[in-house]
């Protein structure tokens, strides 16, 4: 299913009340009949999902820079019932181990045990495990993002209007990607910074 049908009712209602609309570019905003949708999805969609600061920083000492409720809720809504691919250190950063209601694939060259996960030794092997999937999400870390971005079609980003004092992990450059969705949020009680939920589509020439 496309992004707007998968985002929660709360976010869709908020979007309508604020008068914000998705940008017209990209297939996210097109409607397809069930038969057309089946024909339209001819291959697995590889998507990257991350929370990024103004300088594309994503983490420090294997921790998220800005973990806050709305971003974590969006991440859960988008990735639930899908396969998520991550590196070993990203798995180690998860507070409760494998993410529930998702198929977890961990890329690691070691033979360490990752309870509740499928272990593979390379990104290519991870993709081989996902040939029959509709959409697969890359959830980190930096090296996996770098390897995956040239194969990806979508970026689901939370862009935070902040510059961290310390960071040692960064998201790849995506300035040539086309933004197809934008939903801004002001800082509040549970959100310490202004931020935006965005979706980017890879330029057609790069597919």
């Amino acid at each position: 299913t496309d992004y707007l049908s998968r985002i929660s009712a709360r976010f869709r209602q908020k979007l309508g009340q604020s008068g914000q609309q998705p940008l017209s570019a990209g297939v996210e905003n097109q409607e397809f009949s069930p038969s057309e949708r089946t024909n339209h999805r001819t291959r697995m969609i590889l998507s990257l999902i991350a929370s990024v600061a103004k300088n594309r920083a994503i983490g420090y000492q294997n921790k998220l820079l800005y973990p806050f409720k709305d971003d974590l809720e969006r991440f859960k809504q988008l990735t639930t019932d899908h396969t998520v691919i991550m590196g070993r250190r990203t798995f180690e950063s998860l507070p409760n181990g494998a993410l529930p209601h998702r198929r977890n694939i961990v890329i690691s060259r070691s033979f360490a045990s990752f309870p509740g996960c499928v272990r593979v030794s390379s990104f290519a092997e991870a993709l081989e495990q996902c040939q029959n999937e509709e959409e697969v999400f890359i959830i980190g870390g930096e090296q996996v993002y770098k390897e995956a971005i040239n194969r990806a079609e979508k970026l689901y980003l939370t862009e935070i209007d902040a510059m961290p004092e310390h960071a040692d992990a960064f998201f790849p450059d995506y300035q040539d990607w086309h933004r197809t969705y934008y939903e801004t949020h002001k800082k509040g009680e549970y959100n310490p910074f202004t931020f935006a939920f965005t979706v980017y589509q890879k330029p057609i020439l790069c597919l």
Side-chain angles (χ1 to χ4, degrees), residues 123-136:
F123 177 64
E125 188 179 349
L127 293 184
E128 290 175 2
Q129 297 276 338
C130 304
Q131 293 304 308
N132 297 321
E133 303 281 348
E134 178 180 330
E135 185 170 18
V136 173

Side-chain angles (χ1 to χ4, degrees), residues 37-51:
R37 194 181 304 278
T38 299
N39 293 332
H40 183 69
R41 298 299 191 196
T42 58
R43 65 184 186 279
M44 180 264 288
I45 295 174
L46 184 65
S47 300
L48 276 58
I49 185 167
S51 177

Side-chain angles (χ1 to χ4, degrees), residues 138-207:
I138 306 297
I139 66 171
E142 178 181 3
Q143 295 304 317
V144 181
Y145 284 137
K146 286 180 177 179
E147 189 167 4
I149 194 166
N150 290 331
R151 299 285 298 272
E153 293 184 37
K154 286 185 180 181
L155 310 177
Y156 295 89
L157 301 180
T158 300
E159 297 179 322
I160 301 170
D161 187 21
M163 190 76 75
E165 182 177 354
H166 301 289
D168 56 15
F170 296 83
F171 195 80
D173 179 42
Y174 57 95
Q175 63 178 350
D176 293 331
W177 288 59
H178 298 315
R179 192 175 70 190
T180 60
Y181 183 86
Y182 182 82
E183 178 187 337
T184 186
H185 295 258
K186 296 180 179 179
K187 68 179 181 179
E189 181 179 359
Y190 299 106
N191 305 317
F193 303 98
T194 298
F195 67 93
F197 291 145
T198 63
V199 179
Y200 288 82
Q201 192 89 20
K202 179 178 287 186
I204 294 176
L205 293 177
C206 296
L207 293 177

Side-chain angles (χ1 to χ4, degrees), residues 42-71:
T42 58
R43 65 184 186 279
M44 180 264 288
I45 295 174
L46 184 65
S47 300
L48 276 58
I49 185 167
S51 177
V52 300
K54 293 173 68 175
N55 61 347
R56 292 185 286 106
I58 57 174
Y60 180 62
Q61 296 182 343
N62 208 29
K63 295 181 180 179
L64 292 175
L65 292 173
Y66 306 110
F68 57 93
K69 181 180 178 181
D70 282 0
D71 181 47

